Each structure stands twice: as structure tokens, then as C-alpha cells.
């Protein structure tokens, strides 16, 4: 091969390519070091093209969120009335308007929200109604950060859509806390989790080829066995709590998922029928015609 005034042999090109490939292969383990572990499957009922939400699981998930997660994490995009929406945790066909659902009213009333007295103009606290947003644990992001070591807990409204493999990731993260491997230097106020994205190479004192997966997370393990009481006899374990609250967050992230899947199925059936009719019409029209 001739390039300008220089001649480069084919053998030289092959040798250079082999060396480059070897360097990339050697660097691959280093680049992969510290990657988060792949999320475990939660076996959720809503997975797949025909999956739907398990209402019982959503109800349990709301209970875990309300009794545990809501102490730190907001859901600013959710209103209490959404709990009674179609395919939601407390949907009841007797109450097509979720604002009339007595269960939703009772759940909202368990919370106090800020308001302004219409007569005095002073700030007050009152019982929430279905029209109110979920109660926020902190008045603003600054207060949230100050109360959590400088790291404001993220809003969970659409967390399942904001993370790859959403529900499985949340389930794995919440149930996957482990003791740090020997040789890992943990920073103060941090906790090791193999499913947390990060690179632990700078904090690993062992062989660079054995850097553990995962990263550090400021949130301590939030779930404990027996922490939340279930009324339906479901296991009261960390694993079950994590699955249920992950399913609930998946629903808040995509509350219209079931309707979307149903609409998609109808469209696919229509397209198949239309394609069949078109083919039959084509065969009939062009029958016996050379083309």
C-alpha cells in the first residue's frame, strides 16, 4: 500500500491492528472494574407486553412507601386521588371519580399538609384531601440536604423510569445491601451496595483485577424484617418489602401502562386484519392479470 511517498506493507498494518486489539483487551477489565452488579429479577406481574399491575402488591408497596420511604423521599408528581385511579392501588369501579373513593379519602386524611387560613391568612396544618399532593417530608431541597448529611434524597415519582431496568434496579438496590468486602475503604456516612453505580477502584486496596462491583450510597439500609405489618399474610421480609415498593414506584412512574398496552394490542390486531384484507384484495384484483 502506498500513502504519499511512503510504502506501508500489509504485514505492518496487520501487526499494528493486532497490537491495538491486544491493548484494548488488556484495558477491558480495568474499564469494567467497579461496574454495578446486574439487577436481580423481581418477577413482576407487569413485565412483558401483556403484563398488568398486581393491585394487592401496589397496596402493600404504598404502605411501605408511606411508613418507610416517605420519611425522606417525596413524590411531588403524585396526588392522593391518583391512588384511586383505574389500575391503581385502590381503584374501585364503584367510584369512577377517585375523589369520592372512601379509602382514598381515609388515606389522605392520615397526612397533614400546609395551607393558609382563609380568614386570618396565617399558615396552618390541616388534614389532606384527595386533591392534595403527597405530603413532602421537607419544605425544600436545602432542608432535605441539611437533614441527610448534605445529600438531598431524590424524588421517587418517576424513579423507575429514570433508572435502567427500573423496578428490578430498585428492588435489587433496596434488598442488596451487603457488608463491605475486606480491602474496601468506606468513607464516613457511606454504605456499600453492589447494585449502586460507581467506581470503587480508588478505595480498593487489593488487586486491581478484583475490584468489587457497585458503589457507595449515603442512604443506610432502609428496610428491616418485620418493619411493616401486612394485613394480607404476605411475608414481612426485606425481600418482599423491596419488591412491593419497587412495584409501587413502577406504577407511579407509569400509571397508564396498562391502558397503553391495551391500546397497543388493539392497534396490532387492527394492523394484522388490515394487512390480511389488503392481501386478499390484492390477490382478487390482480387475479389472472400478468404483472
Amino acid at each position: 500500500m502506498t500513502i504519499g511517498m511512503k510504502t506501508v506493507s500489509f504485514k505492518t498494518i496487520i501487526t499494528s491492528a493486532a497490537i491495538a486489539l491486544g491493548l484494548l483487551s488488556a484495558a477491558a477489565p480495568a474499564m469494567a472494574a467497579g461496574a454495578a452488579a446486574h439487577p436481580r429479577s423481581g418477577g413482576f406481574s407487569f413485565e412483558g407486553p401483556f403484563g398488568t399491575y398486581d393491585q394487592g402488591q401496589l397496596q402493600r408497596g404504598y404502605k411501605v412507601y408511606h411508613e418507610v420511604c416517605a420519611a425522606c423521599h417525596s413524590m411531588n408528581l403524585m396526588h392522593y386521588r391518583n391512588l384511586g385511579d383505574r389500575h391503581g392501588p385502590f381503584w374501585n369501579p364503584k367510584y369512577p371519580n377517585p375523589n369520592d373513593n372512601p379509602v382514598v379519602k381515609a388515606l389522605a386524611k392520615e397526612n397533614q399538609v400546609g395551607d393558609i387560613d382563609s380568614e386570618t391568612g396565617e399558615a396552618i396544618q390541616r388534614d389532606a384531601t384527595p386533591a392534595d399532593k403527597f405530603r413532602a417530608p421537607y419544605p425544600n431541597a436545602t432542608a432535605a440536604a441539611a437533614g441527610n448529611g448534605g445529600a438531598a434524597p431524590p424524588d421517587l415519582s418517576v424513579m423507575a423510569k429514570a433508572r435502567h431496568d427500573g423496578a428490578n434496579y430498585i428492588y435489587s438496590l433496596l434488598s442488596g445491601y451487603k457488608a463491605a468486602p475486606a480491602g474496601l475503604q468506606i468513607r464516613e456516612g457511606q454504605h456499600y451496595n453492589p447494585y449502586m453505580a460507581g467506581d470503587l477502584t480508588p478505595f480498593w486496596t487489593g488487586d486491581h483485577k478484583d475490584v468489587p462491583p457497585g458503589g457507595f450510597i449515603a442512604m443506610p439500609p432502609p428496610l428491616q424484617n418485620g418493619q411493616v405489618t401486612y394485613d394480607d399474610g404476605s411475608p414481612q421480609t426485606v425481600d418482599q418489602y423491596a419488591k412491593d415498593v419497587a412495584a409501587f414506584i413502577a406504577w407511579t412512574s407509569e400509571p397508564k401502562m396498562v391502558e397503553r398496552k391495551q391500546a397497543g394490542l388493539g392497534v396490532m390486531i387492527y394492523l394484522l386484519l388490515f394487512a390480511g384484507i389488503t392481501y386478499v384484495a390484492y390477490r382478487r384484483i390482480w387475479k389472472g392479470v400478468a404483472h
Side-chain angles (χ1 to χ4, degrees):
M1 179 184 295
T2 302
I3 303 177
M5 298 299 294
K6 295 183 179 180
T7 301
V8 181
S9 68
F10 185 72
K11 182 178 180 180
T12 301
I13 295 175
I14 294 298
T15 302
S16 300
I19 293 174
L21 183 61
L23 291 174
L24 287 174
S25 299
M31 291 188 289
H38 191 275
R40 295 181 294 134
S41 173
F44 296 106
S45 64
F46 51 82
E47 295 178 330
F50 306 108
T52 60
Y53 292 118
D54 179 339
Q55 189 176 45
Q57 185 173 52
L58 295 185
Q59 292 176 2
R60 296 193 302 270
Y62 171 73
K63 191 169 189 179
V64 175
Y65 167 76
H66 178 67
E67 296 186 13
V68 181
C69 308
C72 298
H73 294 273
S74 61
M75 276 196 170
N76 292 328
L77 300 182
M78 295 298 296
H79 293 73
Y80 290 106
R81 65 171 177 266
N82 297 135
L83 295 172
D85 285 344
R86 188 175 181 83
H87 302 298
F90 301 97
W91 158 251
N92 188 332
K94 293 182 180 179
Y95 305 99
N97 183 349
N99 292 290
D100 300 328
N101 189 320
V103 176
V104 173
K105 289 182 179 180
L107 292 173
K109 194 174 182 179
E110 293 177 355
N111 301 274
Q112 292 284 303
V113 295
D115 204 347
I116 300 297
D117 190 300
S118 59
E119 296 183 359
T120 66
E122 296 181 353
I124 60 171
Q125 291 287 314
R126 61 167 175 79
D127 293 340
T129 68
D132 289 308
K133 288 185 176 182
F134 278 21
R135 181 187 64 83
Y138 301 100
N140 51 61
T142 302
N148 292 275
D155 184 90
L156 299 181
S157 302
V158 292
M159 184 56 68
K161 303 296 288 185
R163 297 292 184 271
H164 175 67
D165 205 8
N168 288 323
Y169 166 79
I170 295 171
Y171 158 61
S172 299
L173 183 75
L174 293 178
S175 62
Y177 283 85
K178 293 182 179 180
L184 182 62
Q185 300 174 334
I186 302 181
R187 296 176 294 181
E188 184 178 357
Q190 299 291 308
H191 305 271
Y192 170 67
N193 193 306
Y195 299 99
M196 184 68 183
D199 184 3
L200 298 177
T201 303
F203 310 98
W204 179 245
T205 59
D207 192 310
H208 73 279
K209 296 180 180 179
D210 300 323
V211 178
F216 294 133
I217 182 172
M219 179 177 69
L223 302 173
Q224 303 293 331
N225 291 332
Q227 185 175 5
V228 178
T229 301
Y230 283 159
D231 301 324
D232 62 357
S234 295
Q236 297 174 174
T237 62
V238 169
D239 191 77
Q240 189 65 49
Y241 294 153
K243 284 182 182 179
D244 293 341
V245 76
F248 176 71
I249 295 173
W251 170 75
T252 64
S253 300
E254 195 172 7
K256 302 299 182 183
M257 181 203 70
V258 176
E259 287 92 332
R260 175 176 59 79
K261 288 183 177 181
Q262 291 174 343
L265 178 61
V267 169
M268 292 302 297
I269 293 175
Y270 167 79
L271 291 176
L272 288 174
L273 291 174
F274 183 75
I277 293 172
T278 302
Y279 177 74
V280 171
Y282 164 79
R283 297 286 295 180
R284 181 178 295 274
I285 292 172
W286 291 96
K287 183 178 181 180
V289 179
H291 62 284

